[in-house]
Amino acid sequence: AFVRSYVDDPATRSLVASDAISAITAAINDRPISGQGFFQVSLTWDLPGDIDLHVTEPDGTHVYFRNRAGTSGKLDRDDLVGTGPENYFVCAPEAVQPGSYKIQVNNFSGTTGTRADINIRAGNQFGRLGVTMGAPNRGLDLIDVTTITYVNGSFVIGP
């Protein structure tokens, strides 16, 4: 009877549903980095929220939370409530398309002022870039971070 009265109340029912959704989302996102490879771009951020990684491959394929598999690489996860990581990765050198990879981020629904860090592993090169997020905009304003070019088996990071 106690549980029934608790769930029958509209205010507490909403609270229970919200807590259940938060717990399920946290459980889904609570796992180690899974996407690793010869070429990898990893996004983490300092405040819980939904910050997104976007990679446009040389053939124009846009890899992000709604299209996780590209021609060369894939996005391993979309962290909606935590601090990342989100990883774009290409496992084998022969799978990397020659050309330019455009790296972008977006404050989908995180906190204004969130610090996003982008770590890059491109063959034997490593880079780290940072961006401070503006207001959340649900994917409408992508922030250009860098371009990574792959030509003749070598990467060039930037500008």
Side-chain angles (χ1 to χ4, degrees), residues 27-159:
I28 289 169
N29 284 306
D30 186 22
R31 62 186 173 94
I33 295 173
S34 64
Q36 297 182 20
F38 172 70
F39 174 37
Q40 179 176 341
V41 179
S42 298
L43 170 66
T44 58
W45 51 98
D46 67 347
L47 298 171
D50 189 5
I51 308 298
D52 291 316
L53 176 63
H54 293 253
V55 177
T56 303
E57 296 177 331
D59 68 358
T61 302
H62 183 189
V63 181
Y64 68 118
F65 64 91
R66 286 199 179 124
N67 181 40
R68 293 187 188 186
T71 304
S72 291
K74 63 182 180 177
L75 182 71
D76 65 349
R77 64 194 290 250
D78 179 24
D79 187 343
L80 304 174
V81 297
T83 58
E86 292 188 7
N87 301 290
Y88 169 86
F89 62 101
V90 181
C91 291
E94 60 274 7
V96 181
Q97 293 177 59
S100 295
Y101 292 76
K102 186 176 187 177
I103 312 303
Q104 298 172 298
V105 295
N106 174 257
N107 185 354
F108 192 84
S109 62
T111 303
T112 301
T114 297
R115 166 79 181 181
D117 290 313
I118 301 90
N119 289 294
I120 300 164
R121 181 172 74 201
N124 61 2
Q125 295 184 58
F126 297 87
R128 182 179 179 125
L129 302 162
V131 175
T132 300
M133 298 283 101
N137 60 55
R138 307 198 70 71
L140 298 176
D141 184 24
L142 300 180
I143 299 168
D144 293 338
V145 176
T146 193
T147 300
I148 302 166
T149 305
Y150 185 68
V151 179
N152 298 324
S154 296
F155 289 96
V156 176
I157 301 171

